[in-house]
Amino acid sequence: MASMATDGVTGWRLAPEDYVGNFADLSPPLTRHEAFVESERCYFCYDAPCVQSCPTGIDIPLFIRQIAKDNAIGAAETILSANIMGGMCARVCPTEQLCEEACVREHAEGKPVRIGSLQRHATDAIMAASAAAGRHPFPRAPETGRSVAVVGAGPAGLSAAHRLALLGHAVTLYDAKPKLGGLNEYGIAAYKTPADFAQAEVDFILGIGNIAVVPGVRLGVGTDLATLRGRHDAVFLGLGLGGVNALAGMEDQRNVVDALSFIEALRQAPDKAAVPVGRRVVVIGGGMTAVDAAVQARRLGAEQVTIAYRRGAADMKASRWEQELAQTNGVVIRHWMTPAGFDSRDGAVTAVRFAHRGADGSAAAEGVAIAADLVLCAIGQSFLAGSLGTGDLALEGGRIRVDAERRTTLPGVWAGGDCVAGGLDLTVSAVEDGKRAAIAIDAHLRATEPVSLLAGAA
Amino acid sequence: MADLRTDFLGIRSPNPFWLASAPPTDRKTNVLRAFKAGWGGVVWKTLGEEGPPVVNVSGPRYGAIHGPDRRLMGFNNIELITDRPLELNLQEIAEVKKLYPDRALVASIMVPCDEDSWKRILPRVEATGCDGVELNFGCPHGMSERGMGSAVGQVPEYIEMVARWCKAFTRLPVIVKLTPNITDIRHPARAAKRGGADAVSLINTINSIVSVDLDRMAPAPHVDGRGTHGGYCGPAVKPIALSMTSEIARDPETRGMPISAIGGITTWRDAAEFIALGAGTVQVCTAAMTYGFKVVDEMVTGLSTFMDAKGYRTIEDFRGLAVPNVTDWQYLNLNYVAKARIDQDLCISCGRCHIACEDTSHQAITATVDGRRRFVVKDDECVGCNLCVEICPVENCITLEHRTVGTDPRTGQPYAQPYANWTQHPNNPASSAGRAAE
């Protein structure tokens, strides 16, 4: 039986019941009374700053007032009409940097209305009601007879698919993975989406109907963009970032892995206790993925977990709330640490070497080594543009260039989410991309002839 | 240290806080607890005539309106007068008065509107040693259907008649408790005075249905699917009670008549406001039923602190001081100009002042200044209505400033003008200036 102090990489470091608690809901839902009390704190601001700072423009004062007046279902409809993934966003949005940062009560007393928690309260209610009734809350418009391919069933693709179906189009949704949801299913800490919430939300979204799901299809493998363009009236690309940035030398080391693979394995593991983790874990990076990996490593029973980041706290892409979450979970965050190499024994990593540049980054670099039997690299991902083929699709900084309506440079092709240039790399912005693209595609389709007619004419 | 003792019709109490005739004063157990907690007096729950007592429903008697965090704002009841035998109540009143001779103990009474009924009960009540009687002419539910309670209070002639009988049949001070379910409170108050009553107490509860159950399509709470109106009280009714108290305090016919004020009194400040409008004592029920008897501690200490700060040694020092400043609309100074001002340091930019003014009033508050979110009063549009002050969530962020120097950009008139009211205004056809203009 392993313990937290067992050297090497192993599972079963904790008692079985510890895993249950450690991977339960990070922020439990508000009770009905808590929701009433919290919703009454909202001032129902005019031209509310929180709405301005929501990438999907949810009418936050309205939905909170609906909750306050005992209409959680109406509140959820307000949320979901702007953001069909309101449920997941309530769990993973960095609200402290978006709506709650803008809340006038944050300005007034440093204690914003808990918008994210209230949003979860409402969306949980409608998803439960919808599941119980076996009915999706939004009715589809009359069928247009037009067909749209959506490639990638992450937040952008699911958002686009839902909106397109809502507007009356027939959607075919392609995804490379066996399960839909993208990073919601594979890339987010388990305690943020317990009880298989990601799949419940996928089912809820697909409940609108007229979305044909084709899993296990990767662009460039089995189908390609040209084929999809020929078969559908329009195409939406909601591709993920297929490439994981690597550290020099990591491929030679055993137990140096990319953090996303670690998170994915953890998410998909039926028994969290079986997921192997080191006694001493070093996570390299400073974003949400680094925090998700580090905190979960601790919760799997790692004795020491260190996040090593090459710049300062203010530069970290992980929000302050996330950084504090890591720290309250016993993760040590060290700044100004530039990876310089690995030490190993018998091919397995024993330490990570860094060039450390003092407290504020200005001091001369000195060598620091942190002992590690598991190293998780979270230094970013990259878009693999090769899957697009050699088309006329213009890129920008390695990602797909789109306009305000998420239109690519290729006629009939829209894109959104992580694969496009200039995004925020957030679930909520991906959802907005999908929504905007769908609205633009709808306008385009209503103004043009169906591809089937064109094909027939040819 | 302020002296909170009161002498109301010769009834002395260590402080002006009495518990109103209601469920909290229904029995010895409760009243002893109240006195132990520090209440200055008690009006015993209304006694009925000898014989089988009334019967209450065994379903819900109370309903409520809640504010944020389920704070009780308004309260409704359908409980009747005491449902315990008269003799038991009389015996307990006597026992309690012996145990607490320094507290006010007044008996509330409601018997049918005939002389014999009152003649029979009053000597028995007097024999308990209690300090006075309060005639319940106010209860608007149940008993009123039987020709008592507010059914009497709504007919000034009955009030006068019964008050007269009571003054004839007892030496005790007689307080007439008024119902607010009338159009002009001055008429029943005048009738009480004509009948010789020593004082009035008001307000009793207001006819109310607090809610409708939209599943059952019935009043809520319901008794076996059906509901009836009850009597409304609690913090929500205080403004109505203040107004009615002030009307009696300043009416030439009733001016100076002692008033025991009732209606939503929850804090020391509520009490002080009623006293400023002339009340000699205040009666509390809902606050005690919501928080327990201990709330009197806040009331007593708060009133004392207030009086010390203001230099009022006794209740009499400030009682009625606000009465002369209650007037009719027509005597308000039409030349007084105030305008709102928003303290930009306190403003949290919720924008509610803007949208309230823009949508529902005078379009006198900006939403942006130089393209930036900023809320500033436009003096040339502001009429000083006070809406923004009241709806602003931040205390003292928006204030009304009395303007005295310069010219009002809205009217082009100088701010500083002598007092002038509607009776003198040229637009008033009844004024001398108005008649001259025709």
Side-chain angles (χ1 to χ4, degrees):
Chain A
M1 180 75 191
S3 77
M4 289 179 74
T6 305
D7 283 326
V9 178
T10 177
W12 298 283
R13 288 179 178 274
L14 305 174
E17 61 271 22
D18 292 338
Y19 292 98
V20 176
N22 286 356
F23 291 94
D25 219 333
L26 180 64
S27 311
L30 298 177
T31 65
R32 183 178 149 87
H33 179 70
E34 284 172 330
F36 282 138
V37 172
E38 191 60 23
S39 59
E40 290 286 359
R41 294 185 65 234
C42 172
Y43 287 138
F44 202 71
C45 295
Y46 163 74
D47 194 17
C50 54
V51 180
Q52 306 302 321
S53 59
C54 174
T56 54
I58 294 170
D59 190 341
I60 294 165
L62 177 59
F63 95 67
I64 293 180
R65 190 167 169 80
Q66 289 169 313
I67 291 174
K69 305 309 165 195
D70 201 13
N71 182 10
I73 298 294
E77 287 171 357
T78 300
I79 295 162
L80 298 176
S81 62
N83 178 342
I84 195 61
M85 287 204 154
M88 183 60 82
C89 288
R91 289 163 170 78
V92 302
C93 245
T95 51
E96 65 282 358
Q97 294 176 332
L98 300 170
C99 52
E100 293 179 15
E101 152 84 357
C103 177
V104 300
R105 296 200 83 142
E106 166 66 17
H107 178 76
E109 62 205 63
K111 196 163 175 267
V113 175
R114 293 169 62 191
I115 298 168
S117 299
L118 288 169
Q119 178 163 315
R120 174 168 174 188
H121 177 78
T123 50
D124 280 358
I126 205 169
M127 283 179 62
S130 177
R135 193 158 37 102
H136 188 75
F138 298 104
R140 290 198 310 272
E143 293 194 14
T144 62
R146 310 300 286 272
S147 145
V148 183
V150 172
V151 187
L158 284 167
S159 168
H162 182 270
R163 180 66 58 152
L164 287 163
L166 183 77
L167 294 167
H169 308 298
V171 178
T172 308
L173 179 58
Y174 301 90
D175 197 81
K177 292 274 197 178
K179 288 194 206 171
L180 306 189
L183 287 177
N184 286 356
E185 175 58 38
Y186 294 103
I188 287 168
Y191 48 72
K192 288 179 181 171
T193 62
D196 214 5
F197 178 78
Q199 287 310 300
E201 187 172 56
V202 167
D203 293 344
F204 171 76
I205 291 171
L206 295 182
I208 193 166
N210 215 10
I211 300 174
V213 175
V214 185
V217 173
R218 185 181 294 278
L219 205 60
V221 182
T223 190
D224 58 31
L225 190 49
T227 307
L228 294 177
R229 289 180 73 205
R231 195 181 294 160
H232 300 280
D233 293 294
V235 177
F236 175 79
L237 300 174
L239 308 173
L241 303 180
V244 175
N245 297 344
L247 272 178
M250 71 179 272
E251 65 279 4
D252 302 331
Q253 306 290 331
R254 202 161 71 240
N255 299 336
V256 178
V257 296
D258 79 84
L260 267 179
S261 307
F262 172 74
I263 291 170
E264 177 173 337
L266 182 53
R267 273 295 293 277
Q268 301 305 316
D271 179 9
K272 303 290 184 250
V275 177
V277 71
R279 176 184 180 188
R280 300 182 182 89
V281 178
V282 171
V283 182
I284 300 171
M288 301 288 194
T289 299
V291 172
D292 279 359
V295 172
Q296 292 194 110
R298 275 288 292 164
R299 290 185 174 211
L300 284 173
E303 192 178 65
Q304 294 172 21
V305 178
T306 307
I307 289 177
Y309 179 56
R310 64 197 167 96
R311 286 186 290 197
D315 304 306
M316 290 180 76
K317 280 185 84 177
S319 67
R320 207 171 68 191
W321 186 88
E322 292 277 345
Q323 294 178 42
E324 286 172 5
L325 176 70
Q327 289 163 331
T328 52
N329 276 270
V331 174
V332 173
I333 302 179
R334 298 194 62 177
H335 302 114
W336 308 108
M337 303 278 281
T338 306
F342 301 98
D343 293 339
S344 58
R345 187 185 308 131
D346 304 331
V349 70
T350 56
V352 190
R353 280 180 279 110
F354 296 92
H356 177 53
R357 287 183 294 132
D360 61 356
S362 59
E366 57 179 7
V368 172
I370 304 178
D373 37 29
L374 178 66
V375 177
L376 302 172
C377 291
I379 55 171
Q381 300 162 262
S382 58
F383 178 54
L384 300 180
S387 63
L388 300 172
T390 54
D392 309 311
L393 222 155
L395 301 182
E396 185 179 320
R399 302 200 195 184
I400 301 170
R401 179 194 293 167
V402 290
D403 64 12
E405 293 184 327
R406 310 306 189 258
R407 191 190 313 267
T408 70
T409 53
L410 199 56
V413 179
W414 281 255
D418 288 350
C419 67
V420 302
L424 293 174
D425 289 350
L426 293 175
T427 302
V428 65
S429 53
V431 172
E432 180 67 4
D433 286 347
K435 180 177 88 184
R436 285 199 192 192
I439 291 167
I441 290 169
D442 177 67
H444 167 76
L445 294 181
R446 289 178 196 280
T448 55
E449 293 291 304
V451 71
S452 53
L453 291 186
L454 292 176
Chain B
M1 188 69 182
D3 181 354
L4 299 190
R5 286 179 298 174
T6 55
D7 181 341
F8 187 79
L9 315 176
I11 306 171
R12 291 165 198 274
S13 59
N15 63 55
F17 299 103
W18 293 6
L19 282 169
S21 168
T25 63
D26 185 39
R27 60 194 64 214
K28 180 180 170 184
T29 317
N30 300 32
V31 174
L32 289 181
R33 291 177 65 86
F35 282 159
K36 200 172 167 201
W39 288 87
V42 152
V43 182
W44 202 275
K45 179 150 171 105
T46 305
L47 309 174
E49 60 184 342
E50 181 75 71
V54 301
V55 178
N56 273 298
V57 296
S58 296
R61 301 175 191 186
Y62 306 120
I65 298 283
H66 296 100
D69 207 3
R70 261 183 91 76
R71 290 283 167 179
L72 188 144
M73 303 306 295
F75 196 54
N76 178 71
N77 88 88
I78 58 165
E79 189 172 285
L80 304 180
I81 62 174
T82 184
D83 53 13
R84 306 189 319 148
L86 175 64
E87 187 50 42
L88 176 61
N89 278 308
L90 294 175
Q91 192 184 317
E92 289 188 0
I93 290 171
E95 290 166 12
V96 171
K97 185 63 202 178
K98 277 201 189 75
L99 287 168
Y100 281 95
D102 67 321
R103 310 299 171 93
L105 185 44
V106 173
S108 172
I109 306 175
M110 180 195 289
V111 291
C113 221
D114 60 74
E115 192 169 355
D116 279 350
S117 294
W118 292 92
K119 192 175 183 175
R120 270 198 303 274
I121 197 168
L122 282 165
R124 297 182 66 184
V125 171
E126 192 175 316
T128 64
C130 72
D131 300 304
V133 293
E134 184 181 78
L135 316 185
N136 182 343
F137 295 162
C139 273
H141 47 83
M143 303 309 291
S144 55
E145 298 167 13
R146 308 174 199 179
M148 292 179 270
S150 66
V152 178
Q154 288 165 340
V155 183
E157 291 78 8
Y158 291 171
I159 294 173
E160 181 178 344
M161 175 178 75
V162 179
R164 188 164 285 128
W165 291 338
C166 291
K167 283 306 288 181
F169 301 137
T170 180
R171 289 164 300 161
L172 291 174
V174 172
I175 305 165
V176 171
K177 186 167 180 178
L178 301 177
T179 174
N181 299 304
I182 40 79
T183 46
D184 187 341
I185 196 69
R186 291 174 300 182
H187 294 283
R190 288 169 186 163
K193 181 155 190 194
R194 283 196 302 274
D198 300 289
V200 290
S201 57
L202 73 159
I203 58 173
N204 204 309
T205 56
I206 304 170
N207 284 8
S208 63
I209 288 176
V210 287
S211 185
V212 173
D213 182 326
L214 293 176
D215 296 320
R216 283 180 166 269
M217 286 296 170
H222 65 89
V223 177
D224 194 21
R226 299 179 82 187
T228 186
H229 79 265
Y232 196 47
C233 55
V237 311
K238 178 188 139 191
I240 296 165
L242 279 175
S243 170
M244 290 186 166
T245 299
S246 77
E247 289 303 300
I248 294 171
R250 73 192 189 92
D251 179 47
E253 286 189 41
T254 53
R255 183 178 294 156
M257 190 178 194
I259 300 171
S260 185
I262 311 165
I265 294 162
T266 309
T267 69
W268 72 265
R269 174 179 285 277
D270 298 332
E273 292 177 10
F274 279 99
I275 292 167
L277 285 177
T281 63
V282 294
Q283 297 185 28
V284 175
C285 172
T286 306
M289 292 186 74
T290 310
Y291 301 109
F293 290 145
K294 184 178 157 66
V295 281
V296 76
D297 286 344
E298 180 282 321
M299 299 181 191
V300 166
T301 55
L303 187 61
S304 177
T305 305
F306 159 76
M307 289 170 61
D308 287 346
K310 292 288 184 185
Y312 300 131
R313 232 172 18 82
T314 68
I315 299 286
E316 287 303 306
D317 283 356
F318 76 101
R319 192 173 69 80
L321 289 188
V323 175
N325 293 324
V326 182
T327 187
D328 296 339
W329 193 97
Q330 62 183 337
Y331 300 120
L332 297 177
N333 183 3
L334 294 177
N335 282 339
Y336 174 88
V337 179
K339 288 186 189 292
R341 200 183 72 79
I342 300 172
D343 183 330
Q344 296 298 330
D345 292 333
L346 292 177
C347 177
I348 60 171
S349 291
C350 72
R352 289 238 307 265
C353 56
H354 161 79
I355 201 60
C357 192
E358 195 74 10
D359 280 352
T360 70
S361 290
H362 297 85
Q363 298 78 46
I365 299 178
T366 65
T368 57
V369 175
D370 297 331
R372 292 183 49 214
R373 185 176 177 87
R374 191 172 167 87
F375 304 96
V376 177
V377 176
K378 300 180 229 173
D379 277 359
D380 56 342
E381 300 291 351
C382 179
V383 303
C385 74
N386 210 42
L387 174 64
C388 56
V389 173
E390 295 297 346
I391 58 104
C392 176
V394 180
E395 196 177 2
N396 293 326
C397 174
I398 311 183
T399 46
L400 271 195
E401 284 185 345
H402 178 205
R403 298 299 176 88
T404 54
V405 178
T407 303
D408 185 344
R410 185 177 73 86
T411 60
Q413 298 293 314
Y415 282 128
Q417 289 193 77
Y419 169 88
N421 64 45
W422 177 243
T423 66
Q424 304 154 327
H425 200 278
N427 288 15
N428 178 359
S431 75
S432 53
R435 284 195 300 274
E438 277 174 12

